[in-house]
Amino acid sequence: MLTFLVVSAAVFLCPLAICSPCIANNLPPKPALVGHRGAPMLAPENTMLSFRKSMECGVVAFETDVQLSKDMKPFLMHDNGPSFLLRTTDVKEKFLGRDADMHANFTLQELQTLNAGEWFVRTDPFQSVSSLSKEEKREANNQTVPSLSELLVMAKKHNVSLIFDLKNEKNSTGFHNSDSYYTAETIEKSGISPDKIWWLPPEYRHDVRKVTPGLKQVYNNVQEMYADGGSFLNMKYSFLSTHEISELRKNNVSVNLWVVNERWLFSLLWCSGASSVTTNACHILKSMSKPDWHLEPNMYMGIWISADVISLLLMFGLFLWQRRRNHVFHQNTSERSVPLLPR
Ligand SMILES: *[C@@H]1O[C@H](CO)[C@@H](O)[C@H](O)[C@H]1NC(C)=O
Ligand SMILES: *[C@@H]1O[C@H](CO)[C@@H](O)[C@H](O)[C@H]1NC(C)=O
Ligand SMILES: *[C@@H]1O[C@H](CO)[C@@H](O)[C@H](O)[C@H]1NC(C)=O
Ligand SMILES: *[C@@H]1O[C@H](CO)[C@@H](O)[C@H](O)[C@H]1NC(C)=O
Ligand SMILES: *[C@@H]1O[C@H](CO)[C@@H](O)[C@H](O)[C@H]1NC(C)=O
């Protein structure tokens, strides 16, 4: 009986120990969406088609990856190191024997002869190709490696921001030889408003700031951000607790989290107040008009107290019924068994 009572009490009271940012009176605004390499589930990643598809989701920023070609032109490609073209282009057919070369072995012109979309239609990595129209499939089959300039033109025209990693920056030998330098120069030349660039690469941040003032400086580390007087974080969602996100937002820090593809995770970050998320699945998240669940604390208390009361009543009811049944059973058996007993 004691065990039973203790276990029941624990079950009945456990809702008190549950806390969630989605049990709150105020729901923060919906986080904005950032397209991770465009809309990589709907079109081949890091192609102009992919970025265009992400604009259909209303993304506020494109996320991409920048590398420098042999002729120091920034281009967009995620994989890096040797064989960086193998996964997403037809380098094996176009450049026989050069599929293990590095980014600095190809000129931009060479890169732009590659097909960077056919792999997507052929391998269908997200089982999404069947959802594309005939026209889109034809276009997906005819994508190449974009230059950063092309994406800047699109971003400028459509008032979309840009955030990117510099894949090879660690190997630079000084600011004026660096990927940061050539990238900042390309941004400057494009004429895009500098506040549309969320500058993330930390290596030459201060030099870049001198050459191209007005960029939005984004940090992947809280200490570094505060030390530098910044107010914009870009972090993996699992590196910040929902409480930390709320606290940062109270201090007016913009918080972008990557990579968020699931509705439940997006809901949780929404309740926590995240400013934006980088996503592969903008087509799923764009249609959410509220988190999957969000309860006011009074409602939550109401639900669990009613559930407790109903189950308590049921338990007592069962208990009484069982007692009565046992009683009747004992009466019946004792009446009936009396004459059967040997005298
Ligand atoms: C950068 O340098 C490291 C070693 O210092 C090397 O392993 C890596 O392949 C280099 N990356 C590129 C893209 O050159
Ligand atoms: C490829 O680039 C590296 C430097 O990144 C250079 O050392 C090497 O000679 C180049 N190879 C060819 C075939 O151009
Ligand atoms: C492929 O795209 C290029 C430029 O983006 C265009 O000039 C060409 O006509 C397209 N080819 C096909 C077969 O659609
Ligand atoms: C561009 O976007 C910003 C928000 O990022 C907005 O404040 C501004 O009004 C937009 N400008 C135009 C011309 O749409
Ligand atoms: C955050 O910004 C709002 C409005 O701009 C301001 O009222 C508030 O004092 C700021 N909070 C902090 C902690 O700076």
Side-chain angles (χ1 to χ4, degrees), residues 42 104-105 119 258 267 296 320-321 328 332 337:
L42 303 179
N105 294 121
W119 73 277
W258 50 270
S267 298
E296 306 211 328
L320 291 177
W321 179 66
V328 173
N332 286 350
S337 55

Side-chain angles (χ1 to χ4, degrees), residues 28-29 226 231 242-256 269 272-276:
Y226 281 128
S231 62
T242 55
H243 178 71
E244 285 169 318
I245 296 171
S246 306
E247 288 303 306
L248 285 161
R249 296 294 294 131
K250 274 186 208 144
N251 290 326
N252 290 341
V253 173
S254 300
V255 181
N256 181 60
L269 298 173
S272 313
S275 341
S276 54

Side-chain angles (χ1 to χ4, degrees), residues 154-167:
M154 185 188 262
K156 184 180 171 190
K157 182 167 170 205
H158 297 279
N159 196 25
V160 176
S161 295
L162 189 61
I163 182 170
F164 51 84
D165 290 320
L166 291 177
K167 302 306 283 191

Side-chain angles (χ1 to χ4, degrees), residues 107-269:
T107 63
L108 181 64
Q109 202 188 358
E110 284 174 329
L111 291 166
Q112 297 212 307
T113 62
L114 294 171
N115 184 323
E118 186 271 330
W119 73 277
F120 180 83
V121 180
R122 180 167 37 83
T123 62
D124 198 3
F126 298 98
Q127 281 91 49
S128 55
V129 170
S130 59
S131 73
L132 300 182
S133 69
K134 215 171 159 188
E135 171 67 12
E136 284 172 333
K137 236 180 267 179
R138 197 186 56 75
E139 256 188 280
N141 259 320
N142 186 30
Q143 293 296 306
T144 187
V145 178
S147 67
L148 174 61
S149 304
E150 287 171 76
L151 186 60
L152 284 164
V153 168
M154 185 188 262
K156 184 180 171 190
K157 182 167 170 205
H158 297 279
N159 196 25
V160 176
S161 295
L162 189 61
I163 182 170
F164 51 84
D165 290 320
L166 291 177
K167 302 306 283 191
N168 306 303
E169 187 62 293
K170 290 163 233 49
N171 293 16
S172 306
T173 53
F175 177 54
H176 288 280
N177 293 318
S178 69
D179 292 44
S180 288
Y181 177 79
Y182 290 102
T183 304
E185 197 188 33
T186 305
I187 288 169
E188 188 84 31
K189 274 193 200 144
S190 75
I192 193 171
S193 164
D195 67 353
K196 286 280 150 195
I197 306 298
W198 300 355
W199 186 273
L200 186 59
E203 287 85 358
Y204 293 99
R205 190 187 293 285
H206 300 291
D207 297 295
V208 167
R209 188 143 50 184
K210 273 182 237 148
V211 178
T212 320
L215 304 179
K216 266 194 190 158
Q217 297 293 329
V218 183
Y219 302 79
N220 51 25
N221 174 304
V222 179
Q223 285 77 33
E224 202 187 317
M225 178 189 76
Y226 281 128
D228 210 26
S231 62
F232 201 151
L233 268 182
N234 177 60
M235 290 184 62
K236 188 168 181 182
Y237 67 84
S238 52
F239 289 180
L240 286 175
S241 69
T242 55
H243 178 71
E244 285 169 318
I245 296 171
S246 306
E247 288 303 306
L248 285 161
R249 296 294 294 131
K250 274 186 208 144
N251 290 326
N252 290 341
V253 173
S254 300
V255 181
N256 181 60
L257 298 156
W258 50 270
V259 170
V260 176
N261 303 324
E262 311 285 342
R263 290 178 65 105
W264 69 267
L265 181 57
F266 185 66
S267 298
L268 196 63
L269 298 173

Side-chain angles (χ1 to χ4, degrees), residues 31-45:
L33 303 179
V34 174
H36 185 228
R37 310 178 200 165
M41 296 177 79
L42 303 179
E45 64 177 62

